[in-house]
Amino acid sequence: MPVLKKIALTITSAALLSGFILSPAVAADKDKSDDKQPKPPSTMSSLGGEQLGKAGTQVNLGAGAPVLPKKLSGRSWIVADAESGDVLAAHNAHWRLPPASTLKMLFADTVLPALQPTQTHTVSESELAGVGEGSSLVGIKEDHTYTVHDLWLGVFLRSGNDAVHVLSEMYGGLPQTVAAMQKHAEELQALDTVVVSPDGYDAPRQVSSAYDLTLIARSGMQKKDFREYAATASADFPGEKKKGKKRESFEIQNTNRLITGDIGVDPYQGIAGVKNGYTTHAGNTFTGVAERNGKVLLVTVMNPSAEESHAVYKEAAHLLDWGFSASGKVTPVGQLVPPKSLDTGISTGGKGAAPAADQGTGGQAKAAHASAASKGSSGVGVALAIIGGLLVVVAAGVFLVNRRWPVPGLGSRPAPEADAPEADAPEADAPEAKDSGATADAVPAAEPAAPAAEDAGKPADKS
């Protein structure tokens, strides 16, 4: 019996030991599997069409339609016709994810019409105090004066959170700005979006979706100044004042690599903006608009898992290429819905609402250098010319028809003079929050204000 007990104990010990040895290996294998990637929720909004509420890739290929690009790794993406609103293909379109600096599109669409570009403002220390640690900055200095035009260049080109905070204070304060953005999101029917921080800095509960960001971009492109800023490749920005010397400027460049290009990324032919982003929790995000042969497409890509450099731009470019080739050969999987006010033809009005005509504040972005997206790109022409309304209301505001976005100079269609109304009005305060501890790469070329390394440390907002 003692011998049998000894044998039994030996076998038991070996079994236990093997379990301890094998368990880490099994766990490691599991970590390398697709199970590590977050899964989309089982139920999502079906706004815009039933297929858009389904998880996974949605596409209805017709005869002669090209297959979708291979190795698309974005957690969520969408390709849509900017003119008709047809969604050509989508992947988890309504998955609510952190938006990073693509949320600045909603900030601009809300605030830009309320401030005159020639208005000047002297920045106080308190206005910069709330900028999140490691934020992307354009390099604004306290006790220095800037025009609203300068500040918008800082927002669109360098994704400067410092510029966002100053403009928010000029608009009425951060809580009021957040509330106005949320109200405007609801007006656009961007119902997946929850705004907590106007600059897109990581904050608890702050989310949007590929569908919503595309709606927001489509709305923003109705505004002349928005279009011009979004397509600007580089511009001069006011520098630091030095006693006894004339104030100098330094050049800033757009961080949208499909406009300016970068190592491994060529400027995209026909690109006209609109916004890129990066935070620790959001990963890389991007919404772009481009035109080819009279066709205007919108694309949004959120958080690609591919490890290659600039994957978000490459996947967006591949989707745009596919969209231009597939247009007319696929059955839409859904629609970009119109703003709520267009259901009745009545704008909600209020502060920040733009006039019914081409929405802008004077085209002051022309002072900046025009987009230099080369290699045949006509992107700046699109940005300056896409002035057709999102939708127009006819027959006493009851019947809605899609209205095309003409491209004067690039196509044969004439440009209409009026845009559809849009509205947003700050009325109630909303909470604001900020995430902590991360760094960024958005810095001015001549006056660095934050670390410039593309992949350094724990980036919070590489936008």
Side-chain angles (χ1 to χ4, degrees):
M1 288 295 291
V3 175
L4 293 175
K5 287 183 178 180
K6 186 174 182 179
I7 293 173
L9 287 171
T10 301
I11 293 172
T12 302
S13 298
L16 290 171
L17 181 60
S18 65
F20 285 126
I21 293 173
L22 291 175
S23 292
V26 172
D29 289 341
K30 186 176 182 65
D31 287 344
K32 294 177 182 178
S33 72
D34 290 339
D35 292 341
K36 185 178 179 180
Q37 294 296 323
K39 304 295 184 183
S42 56
T43 58
M44 292 181 285
S45 169
S46 59
L47 183 67
E50 183 179 350
Q51 274 190 269
L52 297 179
K54 297 179 179 180
T57 301
Q58 307 299 319
V59 64
N60 302 323
L61 298 176
V67 297
L68 283 164
K70 296 180 179 179
K71 298 181 179 179
L72 294 173
S73 65
R75 291 184 183 176
S76 175
W77 54 258
I78 192 170
V79 185
D81 187 311
E83 299 177 311
S84 68
D86 291 342
V87 178
L88 306 183
H91 180 77
N92 302 324
H94 281 289
W95 191 357
R96 304 175 80 183
L97 298 166
S101 282
T102 49
L103 194 66
K104 288 184 173 77
M105 295 187 298
L106 179 60
F107 171 74
D109 197 34
T110 303
V111 175
L112 197 155
L115 302 174
Q116 291 299 313
T118 55
Q119 182 179 344
T120 60
H121 179 76
T122 301
V123 177
S124 66
E125 181 180 2
S126 62
E127 291 171 338
L128 301 177
V131 177
E133 181 181 354
S135 287
S136 52
L137 306 171
V138 68
I140 291 172
K141 307 291 185 183
E142 63 183 82
D143 298 325
H144 284 54
T145 300
Y146 302 86
T147 65
V148 167
H149 171 63
D150 294 331
L151 296 172
W152 282 121
L153 288 173
V155 171
F156 277 87
L157 273 66
R158 298 306 298 172
S159 200
N161 289 4
D162 47 358
V164 170
H165 278 246
V166 174
L167 287 165
S168 295
E169 290 299 329
M170 295 179 68
Y171 187 74
L174 289 175
Q176 189 173 9
T177 302
V178 167
M181 290 172 64
Q182 188 65 62
K183 184 169 184 178
H184 187 46
E186 294 168 2
E187 153 66 14
L188 297 178
Q189 299 201 63
L191 305 181
D192 298 325
T193 300
V194 176
V195 183
V196 179
S197 176
D199 51 21
Y201 192 79
D202 282 335
R205 300 180 293 105
Q206 183 156 271
V207 291
S208 190
S209 67
Y211 184 86
D212 279 16
L213 292 173
T214 307
L215 285 182
I216 293 164
R218 195 181 189 214
S219 175
M221 293 298 287
Q222 308 307 302
K223 298 176 175 62
K224 182 178 180 181
D225 286 358
F226 188 107
R227 294 191 302 273
E228 293 178 359
Y229 287 126
T232 300
S234 63
D236 293 328
F237 193 82
E240 185 176 1
K241 292 186 301 184
K242 295 181 180 179
K243 189 175 182 180
K245 294 184 178 181
K246 181 182 178 181
R247 188 177 183 183
E248 297 181 350
S249 62
F250 58 93
E251 185 178 82
I252 57 176
Q253 289 190 332
N254 201 317
T255 56
N256 179 347
R257 272 73 174 184
L258 291 189
I259 288 180
T260 58
D262 200 351
I263 298 174
V265 179
D266 292 327
Y268 190 82
Q269 182 181 359
I271 193 69
V274 287
K275 193 71 189 75
N276 55 301
Y278 179 90
T279 68
T280 304
H281 297 298
N284 288 287
T285 59
F286 176 74
T287 297
V289 62
E291 181 272 347
R292 282 186 187 175
N293 301 320
K295 178 67 65 176
V296 184
L297 297 182
L298 282 160
V299 63
T300 296
V301 177
M302 301 186 75
N303 201 348
S305 59
E307 295 181 358
E308 69 172 330
S309 176
H310 302 320
V312 73
Y313 300 105
K314 294 176 180 178
E315 294 189 16
H318 292 328
L319 285 168
L320 284 170
D321 286 342
W322 175 86
F324 287 122
S325 297
S327 180
K329 302 173 184 176
V330 297
T331 300
V333 298
Q335 280 280 323
L336 300 177
V337 296
K340 287 197 301 184
S341 62
L342 291 184
D343 290 340
T344 60
I346 300 173
S347 173
T348 55
K351 182 178 180 180
D358 184 41
Q359 298 168 13
T361 49
Q364 292 297 313
K366 292 179 181 177
H369 302 308
S371 171
S374 58
K375 301 187 178 180
S377 171
S378 54
V380 69
V382 179
L384 296 175
I386 299 177
I387 60 176
L390 185 62
L391 289 165
V392 291
V393 184
V394 296
V398 177
F399 179 68
L400 294 177
V401 295
N402 285 314
R403 182 178 185 179
R404 298 180 64 79
W405 288 14
V407 188
L410 300 176
S412 58
R413 288 167 288 164
E417 296 297 326
D419 283 349
E422 58 90 15
D424 47 75
E427 292 182 355
D429 286 351
E432 61 163 315
K434 64 180 181 179
D435 202 10
S436 60
T439 58
D441 78 341
V443 296
E447 295 192 2
E454 172 70 19
D455 297 309
K458 297 179 180 179
D461 191 355
K462 296 198 301 186
S463 301

